[in-house]
Amino acid sequence: MIFRQLFEPVSSTYTYLLGCEHTGQAVLIDPVISSMERDLAEVRSLGLTLAYSIDTHIHADHITAALELKKATGSRIAAPAWDRLPCTDVGIEEGKPFQVGSIVLQPLHTPGHTDGHFAYLLGDRVFTGDALLIDGCGRTDFQNGDAETLYKSVTEKLFKLPDECLVYPAHDYQGRRVSCIGQEKSRNPRLGKERTLEEFKAIMANLKLPYPTFIDYAVPGNRQCGVCPSEVPDDLRKYCVQMTCSPQG
Ligand SMILES: [Fe+2]
């Protein structure tokens, strides 16, 4: 398999490029609209053709590139069936492997950050979305989020994967790229170290995070598989404008 981890700096999002060496098909997990040209250039430079985009959840901090990628390349849009988005071509469900060439993702319903959130297991690695971040996790105070539900998703599903399983998160704000299940179980300050449910709920209830800057634009835009709302204020246009530099992800 061909694999690239690409970084989108405005929302500190990781997009994952998976390529099948046999069929030349590629999949982008959680592509971001502002970096889609960079991502497509990467797909092409590897001699691949984009077959699918697939999102882990309805994002609140960036606009998915799913729809624009479809317009540009004819790629199909896969997303959790839970969210019932009419713009989705393939609805992802747990227990139904998602296969593109030799790439086989096992979808894991991991609600708590959002109710429709999925992680994707691929052999020795898992794309954890915002359910489990390196030394952290996504917030649980919006989009039908719920701390108790997230605790169960992580401890009863993700932490049941092998300790060696690599953890590739949807974000990192400090430049960390990859972890593993064993490391998160032993070190994650919110969910690891055998934290109890009550401890986790108290941590999440006391984060005192600011209201998410882009959520009121991102969620409606992402419910359409990635439309930048026309009324985005100037200070938020950066979320929709194409990235001009090409940092190596
Ligand atoms: Fe998120």
Side-chain angles (χ1 to χ4, degrees):
M1 181 186 71
I2 298 163
F3 179 69
R4 289 281 189 279
Q5 183 181 34
L6 303 158
F7 184 66
E8 189 285 315
V10 177
S11 58
S12 296
T13 298
Y14 284 125
T15 295
Y16 297 97
L17 189 168
L18 317 175
C20 170
E21 291 167 282
H22 309 293
T23 63
Q25 291 171 295
V27 175
L28 286 170
I29 299 178
D30 285 340
V32 181
I33 201 163
S34 55
S35 57
M36 67 170 267
E37 295 298 342
R38 184 273 314 263
D39 297 352
L40 273 182
E42 192 76 20
V43 169
R44 291 186 189 117
S45 76
L46 292 163
L48 300 168
T49 303
L50 187 67
Y52 279 94
S53 65
I54 177 167
D55 276 277
T56 52
H57 62 293
I58 296 176
H59 305 280
D61 61 348
H62 67 264
I63 302 273
T64 175
L67 186 61
E68 290 302 318
L69 287 168
K70 180 175 184 169
K71 287 186 198 166
T73 70
S75 57
R76 304 185 78 207
I77 298 174
W82 179 280
D83 291 314
R84 295 189 195 88
L85 302 181
C87 51
T88 298
D89 295 307
V90 175
I92 298 291
E93 294 173 65
E94 186 165 304
K96 279 175 49 179
F98 176 74
Q99 182 159 7
V100 179
S102 58
I103 301 163
V104 184
L105 298 176
Q106 304 289 344
L108 300 172
H109 188 205
T110 42
H113 170 62
T114 73
D115 53 355
H117 185 287
F118 271 71
Y120 301 116
L121 178 64
L122 174 64
D124 64 352
R125 64 200 68 190
V126 60
F127 304 100
T128 53
D130 288 1
L132 179 64
L133 304 177
I134 299 172
D135 283 353
C137 64
R139 60 196 296 174
T140 54
D141 48 352
F142 290 97
Q143 298 180 278
N144 297 324
D146 178 69
E148 181 166 346
T149 306
L150 182 61
Y151 184 87
K152 285 184 181 161
S153 291
V154 173
T155 59
E156 296 176 11
K157 218 168 253 187
L158 297 177
F159 281 0
K160 293 287 192 278
L161 297 172
D163 280 355
E164 309 72 42
C165 185
L166 297 170
V167 169
Y168 284 102
H171 301 284
D172 195 87
Y173 306 94
Q174 295 172 51
R176 296 164 297 196
R177 292 170 167 273
V178 60
S179 175
C180 66
I181 291 294
Q183 181 174 321
E184 294 312 312
K185 267 158 71 173
S186 62
R187 288 182 44 98
N188 191 298
R190 294 185 187 172
L191 288 146
K193 307 177 183 178
E194 304 196 343
R195 286 263 188 226
T196 65
L197 170 61
E198 293 312 315
E199 286 174 323
F200 179 66
K201 282 165 69 176
I203 290 168
M204 296 310 284
N206 288 297
L207 289 178
K208 299 188 170 63
L209 296 169
Y211 187 79
T213 326
F214 195 46
I215 189 170
D216 293 330
Y217 302 96
V219 170
N222 287 329
R223 293 196 70 84
Q224 300 170 74
C225 291
V227 173
C228 264
S230 50
E231 73 280 16
V232 171
D234 285 348
D235 60 327
L236 299 178
R237 292 295 315 170
K238 62 186 176 188
Y239 287 97
C240 294
V241 172
Q242 278 300 309
M243 194 162 72
T244 47
C245 56
S246 6
Q248 286 302 302

